C-alpha cells in the first residue's frame, strides 16, 4: 500500500524520537503521518528508565545543545506531571564529578557536588526530569493528533515504501537493516519494576560489586536497573540478571530488599558511534532525513534532535 498523496511528511518509527519529531513537524503546519511497527506503548522507548541525562550518545559537540533544549521543554512539561508524565525529581549520580562532564553541565540548574548525607561517596546532586513513559508516549501521540498528525501501525521492509515528499527515518535499531547501517548495534538493558517502599529520590551509581545500579522512583512503582550488554539481541528477561539487579540496588538502598516485583522489562538501546542527523536528497526532489542512533539518551535529546531534524526537512523554509 502506498502512502497517502496528501502527506507532506512520513516519519518512520514511533518511539520517543519519532513521535517528538512528528509533533514538531505537525505543529509547524505540515501534514504528518507516523508509521510504527509496534504500538507506541510497545516500542523500545516504552522500556526506558527515562531519566534526563546524556548517556551513551555521541557526538559530544552536539549532544549538549540537544540535551539542554530538551531539558527546557521537560521543565515546562513538568508543570503538568499527571498529563505529560514528566516530573522534576531530586537525586544523585554517584561516582561522578562536575569536571568530568561536558560544557552542558554548567547550564543545568542546581547541579552540584552531593553531600555525605545524600550519598556515601563522591557524586553529583541534581533535580532532573524523570519521565513516566507509560504516560508520556500516549501524551505525545495525543498531542500529535491535536496537530493533525496520524499514527499507523505498519511494518516497513524498506524506506522506499514511503512515497511522501519528505521521509524522516527515526527507526532506531531498525536502521541497521532498513538503511542499511551496520554501525547501529544493540546494547541490552534489563529492568525490574517493584513496589515503591517509599523512595522519593533517584540514584544512579556503581554498586559495591562494581556493576551499575539505578533506582528511579514513580508514585506507583520503583524502576530498578540495570545492564548494558553489548551486541546482545535477546528481549527475554533473564531471572538471574533480575536477581542481581535487585541485589545491587538493595546494597545501595536496603529498603528495596524484599519489595514485591511487579514486572520485568528488556530494551535494546540503538547505539551508534554518533547520532545520524542529516538530509539526503532523493529523486524527484524528495528528501530523506535521518534521525537515529541515540543510544541510551533518546529521551534526553528528543526535542533538540526533533527541532534540528525539522530544520532539515525544508531547509529553505
Amino acid at each position: 500500500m502506498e502512502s497517502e498523496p496528501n502527506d507532506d511528511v512520513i516519519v518512520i518509527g514511533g518511539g520517543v524520537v519519532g513521535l517528538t519529531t512528528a509533533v514538531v513537524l505537525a505543529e509547524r503546519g505540515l501534514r504528518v503521518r507516523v508509521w510504527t511497527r509496534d504500538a507506541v506503548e510497545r516500542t523500545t522507548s516504552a522500556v526506558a528508565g527515562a531519566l534526563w541525562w546524556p548517556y551513551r550518545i555521541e557526538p559530544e559537540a552536539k549532544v549538549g545543545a540537544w540535551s539542554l533544549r530538551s531539558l527546557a521543554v521537560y521543565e515546562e512539561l513538568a508543570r503538568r506531571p499527571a498529563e505529560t508524565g514528566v516530573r522534576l525529581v531530586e537525586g544523585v549520580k554517584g561516582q561522578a564529578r562536575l569536571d568530568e562532564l561536558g560544557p552542558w553541565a554548567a547550564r543545568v540548574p542546581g547541579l552540584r557536588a552531593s553531600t555525605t548525607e545524600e550519598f556515601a561517596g563522591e557524586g553529583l546532586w541534581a533535580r532532573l526530569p524523570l519521565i513516566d513513559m507509560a504516560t508520556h508516549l500516549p501524551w505525545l501521540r495525543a498531542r500529535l493528533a491535536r496537530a493533525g498528525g496520524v499514527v499507523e501501525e505498519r511494518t516497513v521492509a524498506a524506506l522506499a515504501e514511503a512515497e511522501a515528499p519528505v521521509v524522516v527515518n527515526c527507526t532506531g535499531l531498525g536502521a541497521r537493516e532498513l538503511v542499511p547501517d551496520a554501525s547501529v548495534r544493540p546494547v541490552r538493558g534489563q529492568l525490574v519494576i517493584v513496589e515503591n517502599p517509599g523512595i522519593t529520590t533517584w540514584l544512579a551509581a556503581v554498586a559495591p560489586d562494581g556493576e551499575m545500579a539505578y533506582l528511579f522512583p514513580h508514585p506507583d512503582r520503583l524502576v530498578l536497573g540495570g545492564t548494558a550488554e553489548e551486541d546482545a539481541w535477546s528481549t527475554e528477561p533473564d531471572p538471574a540478571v533480575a536477581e542481581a539487579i535487585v541485589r545491587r540496588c538493595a546494597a545501595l538502598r536496603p529498603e528495596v530488599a524484599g519489595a514485591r516485583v511487579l514486572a520485568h522489562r528488556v530494551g535494546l538501546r540503538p547505539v551508534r558511534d554518533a547520532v545520524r542527523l542529516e538530509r539526503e536528497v532523493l529523486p524527484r526532489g524528495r528528501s530523506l532525513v535521518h534521525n537515529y542512533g541515540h543510544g541510551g539518551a533518546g529521551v534526553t535529546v528528543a526535542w533538540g534532535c526533533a527541532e534540528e531534524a525539522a530544520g532539515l526537512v525544508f531547509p529553505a523554509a
Side-chain angles (χ1 to χ4, degrees):
M1 178 178 117
E2 294 186 355
S3 59
E4 295 294 327
N6 61 348
D7 291 330
D8 290 328
V9 183
I10 290 179
V11 176
I12 305 178
V16 68
V17 170
L19 285 177
T20 305
T21 301
V23 165
V24 170
L25 291 168
E27 291 182 350
R28 294 187 182 188
L30 299 174
R31 294 166 295 186
V32 180
R33 185 176 302 266
V34 175
W35 287 355
T36 178
R37 181 188 62 191
D38 301 310
V40 166
E41 295 84 355
R42 297 198 304 272
T43 60
T44 297
S45 295
V47 183
L51 177 75
W52 181 95
W53 190 267
Y55 173 70
R56 295 197 75 123
I57 182 170
E58 295 286 348
E60 184 178 352
K62 303 198 75 172
V63 165
W66 293 335
S67 300
L68 291 169
R69 174 59 189 140
S70 301
L71 176 62
V73 175
Y74 291 133
E75 287 174 335
E76 172 66 26
L77 296 180
R79 297 180 181 181
R80 311 187 307 279
E83 176 189 349
T84 66
V86 182
R87 294 178 300 128
L88 295 178
V89 181
E90 296 179 358
V92 172
K93 188 166 193 335
Q95 297 90 26
R97 302 198 317 264
L98 284 171
D99 60 9
E100 296 173 334
L101 305 179
W104 57 268
R107 293 174 55 194
V108 176
L111 184 63
R112 59 167 172 79
S114 57
T115 65
T116 54
E117 290 78 16
E118 291 163 339
F119 183 69
E122 194 171 46
L124 295 174
W125 179 97
R127 187 167 180 257
L128 300 177
L130 180 62
I131 296 100
D132 179 354
M133 298 305 282
T135 298
H136 188 64
L137 291 171
W139 175 81
L140 281 172
R141 181 176 56 198
R143 179 167 167 175
L144 175 62
R146 289 194 298 272
V150 177
V151 176
E152 294 180 351
E153 290 182 37
R154 168 174 176 155
T155 299
V156 177
L159 295 177
E161 292 178 24
E163 287 289 338
V166 176
V167 178
V168 185
N169 170 24
C170 299
T171 55
L173 194 57
R176 182 179 175 90
E177 302 297 331
L178 280 175
V179 174
D181 184 348
S183 70
V184 185
R185 56 191 183 82
V187 174
R188 183 181 185 275
Q190 183 166 329
L191 306 175
V192 181
I193 315 300
V194 301
E195 284 187 341
N196 192 337
I199 291 174
T200 58
T201 58
W202 60 269
L203 174 62
V206 176
D209 67 358
E211 298 291 332
M212 73 172 180
Y214 53 80
L215 304 90
F216 297 153
H218 294 277
D220 60 342
R221 66 196 187 282
L222 184 65
V223 177
L224 307 180
T227 62
E229 300 173 73
E230 309 275 346
D231 301 307
W233 286 91
S234 173
T235 56
E236 289 298 316
D238 183 323
V241 170
E243 290 178 9
I245 288 171
V246 174
R247 186 168 58 248
R248 291 199 297 271
C249 290
L252 295 170
R253 296 295 297 265
E255 59 267 52
V256 168
R260 185 166 72 94
V261 174
L262 303 177
H264 299 274
R265 296 179 183 168
V266 173
L268 305 180
R269 304 176 183 95
V271 171
R272 192 174 184 270
D273 56 353
V275 172
R276 187 178 185 191
L277 188 42
E278 63 184 8
R279 175 175 176 259
E280 284 187 48
V281 178
L282 301 178
R284 306 193 309 278
R286 297 168 58 242
S287 297
L288 171 61
V289 174
H290 295 286
N291 184 11
Y292 68 88
H294 304 85
V299 170
T300 299
V301 301
W303 289 93
C305 286
E307 292 179 359
E308 184 166 325
L312 295 173
V313 165
F314 294 112

